[in-house]
Amino acid sequence: MQVTVPMPSSVPPLGASFETELVKAVANITATEDEGLGINHIFGPVLDLGRELRWGRVEEGFGEDAYLSGELGHAFVAGLQQGKRRGAGENASARMAATCKHFAAFGSPQGGLNLAQVSGGERELRTTFLKPFHRACLDSLSIMTAYSSYDGIPAIANTHMLTGILREEWGYKYWVTSDAGSVDLLVTLHGTCDTRECAAKTALENGLSGEMGGGTYTFLTLTDQIKEGKVDVKYLDETVKGLLRAKFALGLFENPYPYEDYTSFIRTPHSREVLHQADLESIVLLENKGGILPLKTGIGSVALIGPQADRVTFGDYVFFNASLNGISPLDGFKQYLNTTSSSTQINFAQGCELWSNDESGIAAAVEAAQSSDVAIVMVGTWSLDQTLLWTPGTNATTGEHVDVHDLALVGAQLKLVQAVKATGKPTVVVFVSGKPVAEPWIQAHADAVVQQFYPGELGGLALAEIIFGAVNPSGKLPVSFPRDVGTTPVFYNYLKGSRPIDAGQVLDNGQLIFGHAYVLDSPVPLWSFGHGLSYTTFNYTDLQISPSTISTTEDFTVTVTVHNTGSVDGKEVVQVYITDVLSSVVTPNQDLVGFQKVNVPAGGSATVSIKVLSSQLAVWSLRNAWVVEPGAFTVKVGTSDQVFAQGTLMVA
Amino acid sequence: MQVTVPMPSSVPPLGASFETELVKAVANITATEDEGLGINHIFGPVLDLGRELRWGRVEEGFGEDAYLSGELGHAFVAGLQQGKRRGAGENASARMAATCKHFAAFGSPQGGLNLAQVSGGERELRTTFLKPFHRACLDSLSIMTAYSSYDGIPAIANTHMLTGILREEWGYKYWVTSDAGSVDLLVTLHGTCDTRECAAKTALENGLSGEMGGGTYTFLTLTDQIKEGKVDVKYLDETVKGLLRAKFALGLFENPYPYEDYTSFIRTPHSREVLHQADLESIVLLENKGGILPLKTGIGSVALIGPQADRVTFGDYVFFNASLNGISPLDGFKQYLNTTSSSTQINFAQGCELWSNDESGIAAAVEAAQSSDVAIVMVGTWSLDQTLLWTPGTNATTGEHVDVHDLALVGAQLKLVQAVKATGKPTVVVFVSGKPVAEPWIQAHADAVVQQFYPGELGGLALAEIIFGAVNPSGKLPVSFPRDVGTTPVFYNYLKGSRPIDAGQVLDNGQLIFGHAYVLDSPVPLWSFGHGLSYTTFNYTDLQISPSTISTTEDFTVTVTVHNTGSVDGKEVVQVYITDVLSSVVTPNQDLVGFQKVNVPAGGSATVSIKVLSSQLAVWSLRNAWVVEPGAFTVKVGTSDQVFAQGTLMVA
């Protein structure tokens, strides 16, 4: 397979790692396709953090980590905006307006319920929720506010965030808009306005110059309010400036409708290659007991089982019937085997529906497994496109306003997996899901587990290539997988001391083993942030931290050599985590500060250097300022739950 | 039964309702017994709010509501402290030192894990976590700090809370101590100190003049630190003043050890009456379909089933083998039937253990049910006394450092209930539990459900008296019962707009009915705060709000007439809730502002007046101050999920 985004061979600049280049390339294709269709404004990236896993919109973001979300978000904004629209004048500077959303602190709603309030203080706001926006959005031509309230203040009325931080502290100068109908929510949801006029005034005075659809067009009241002197026209002038800056940057006044030949923009050979690669890079191998994967070339037969096997599952923000353009895993397997002239037979059986307890199809699935050399069972969560998702009578388990109380598989899916495994055939479970699935039985008993988050159109083909070993998997988890909804949150960078571990357990035979935290379960995730296996093995040596002692304003570089100790080529994501050993406020037990995917040939090695900025060491102090505090920092290369190499950085 | 605390016949003063008088009476007995034993300092009341139900210590507090906890906490402090110790001089003002704990924001730890961080900002701190302390603790001779961090600041290092709010703003002048070992936690848990010296210095400088056991006696380092000029002696002087004030208030320098005749202080006839009454008043009748309860006098036989039937379950902060002094439900039923010369036969069968999936005892329980006229199945959570709780090999589901990931019944308990119900015999389920049990099947299918939170020594007898109708139940829930751990939190006073309801459902036959919030469940609790049935029925009329328009500094009175429309005498808790219709910040959808239990004879009525202070209407404003904002307030008399009478208050 052609690697469209070249793998780095030396130290990349911060924020220009392989992963961010790939995201940028995907965003670039998105901009190209949209430009062809006459679209000049995209409502992404989503920088809400996936830390409350019941929330339906976890599928839309970059995972649980603020740093990762900021880096990928930054790349997405850059990829969308870089270049110029056709026909734009010489002063234009962007091809497409990105929209960072949702500003801010939307991703941890109480109870996981969309629109619900978020609890938090200034320190959590700064160190967690705002970080990705600060990294990714200063050049984004627009920002969309959140629906929720944070410590009792609705996002669109939060003068501290919108004026104090975004405009004054960060100097953000472009367009800020509400989310759909959220200006009305000041009246209907939050009770902080009694009239549409009040809501419009509040939003405008907080710098919002856009009111998305879904509401009652409250901004239409502003003309009269300004005429009557109830709203100072300066707010209108100021916010219109931001809107006009975005439009001038796009060159919209020069050639607003340049889309006469859109077909040449859509589904080009280049875009297919990049999107194919993105689908391959994002598959995560979670378990591979006894090296059951990849399947042997020439294996006689494979049972492809489960409700996700002959189905294309995308996230919810896709157009009507978008999934008809996708390749299902069943089609992908057939394509792959056909292309490679393989004689391997595929025995398909759906087994059950995603949304039903009906077990009548399990017998056929068991039969398919029994008559095959290996069984692959595909289960997970699902969403629907924007038309279907809101059609009465349909159902989904992820998507906006689709919040779950349980993270286990729905309906008969687990029973299907258990019945197939009971045949004694090697059983590979593939989760296609928009968020972590909490099924400890599968982690304990499946021979292999593969995670495919909602893919692009080529997802089914990419999965086949991974399963059969044409491509070695190299994805890492951007989000931790809990054992149960009752053991959430499980994000890896909890504040020090916040996760006592004294686990209990329920054995498969039902026997209860009592602990204290939790009495009958464990707060340790099934798979933690950063985890992901390969078909080869890696060893890390020669960790260097340079300089090993820095001043509070000095950056440093972490260098390490990765050895491929297996027999096939592989890619590895080198991940750097730091722990602030002593701090004036309670800091996370660890935080990701850098990552870099590299190619390492079998038997070979690669030396990777990752630059870390001193600002990444800062705490939000008791005096409400970013401060890098002298002292020791532990520098770890590994994953959030594994140490491959470790050293100490001193800040003098 | 003699009512030891007289029921009010007219408007009581604020904070002196029947319920608070009863709590005061219980605290008074506690003080008397402790004084007899030479104890002069009690580590209660616990004012942490039960809003994160996985937390093991929910059993220790007064429930989910800040106002209720403040009122009951205030009564508890007053009851403990009122009077003088024997032999204390004329300047002594207190008999016993109460300890309000844990200051502050301890009750909502992340993941429900004891010691874990708490997320929140200044508004949530003021309006929720601090409220009960402000109400209850200004005269408490001591306060104990929390273990946790709040927005990244450890409780014992939180200068804003300990100095800014507690000492300066509230003028608190007595003793503040750490919780066990928590000074060391700055080093071992929070990473904000690297030495014991630093930890001791931090605690002292934040006004702590006590270091509880469980740590390494870091305060012993203070002598040297002061000598060496590393700690300013003024901090020591200042905090010792608080400690000495408490000791002088107790008169400890005059007659420190007056306990020569303790036996006359313990288990007096008076204390038995009060504690008996407390046990009766706190039982809550949750469901009573078809009026199955009370059991008919002279009923032939009752099956008393379940692992809580022949067991005394107390909370964890009781001494070794304290439960040996309690009357189990089985003993209570026998005593009651014996006392009333009843011929009703009790058929006891344990059915299962609390802590096992072993179903082998269920057959005998089914047999007991089949051979009886009615079945009572007693299930729930359990704790152990302080010695047993920490003995290796024992188990519990509530208590300090006993945190659960699931709120359903453990082991075979639900199956036992279902098997008994399947006999067709009327089935009463009694929960004996230190926190809400989440079992929607029981709510849907049991003929009656009774909640007994961990009782006192006479709990088993009180339960029998309620079940047989000798006493009409009048308890109301201080905490809401969720359908599942995945639908938490379920506290009633969520901020406006935070609980969208678009419920899904799993039918008993397994069929899935899809919704959105949640996809397959509901955020609506099984039973909500304030709920509690009676053997009679009540009707409310003549609501008056007086004055109906007030200034921002004016108090008002809510008056309503309660009619007993049934055929037996009953007590009713009149509950007043307000909603701030329009506010500058997002306020709760409703908040309890007053309550009063009254006796209403069958066919009779009682008029109840409840005074509400204007300060109870205040919001914590955007300018960080308490402000009563003009506008309309909805005044509801009812429970958190029912409206019995409603009106409007205008603040001009």
Side-chain angles (χ1 to χ4, degrees), chain B residues 612-623:
Chain B
V612 183
L613 304 179
S614 64
S615 59
Q616 293 180 258
L617 306 177
V619 302
W620 185 253
S621 76
L622 291 167
R623 292 167 182 269

Side-chain angles (χ1 to χ4, degrees), chain A residues 11 17 30 44 88 136 179 199 273 283 290 347 361 369 375 384 392 430 479 517 533 610 620 637:
Chain A
V11 186
S17 66
T30 307
D179 203 342
E273 279 171 30
I283 291 172
N347 297 317
L384 296 168
V430 178
V479 62
L533 303 173
I610 292 175
W620 186 254
V637 175

Side-chain angles (χ1 to χ4, degrees), chain A residues 336-371:
Chain A
Y336 175 79
L337 293 171
N338 193 38
T339 307
T340 57
S341 304
S342 167
S343 62
T344 301
Q345 193 187 320
I346 299 292
N347 297 317
F348 167 72
Q350 183 176 312
C352 66
E353 298 287 357
L354 286 163
W355 44 77
S356 168
N357 280 318
D358 184 350
E359 299 172 24
S360 60
I362 292 181
V366 165
E367 205 171 304
Q370 279 165 338
S371 61

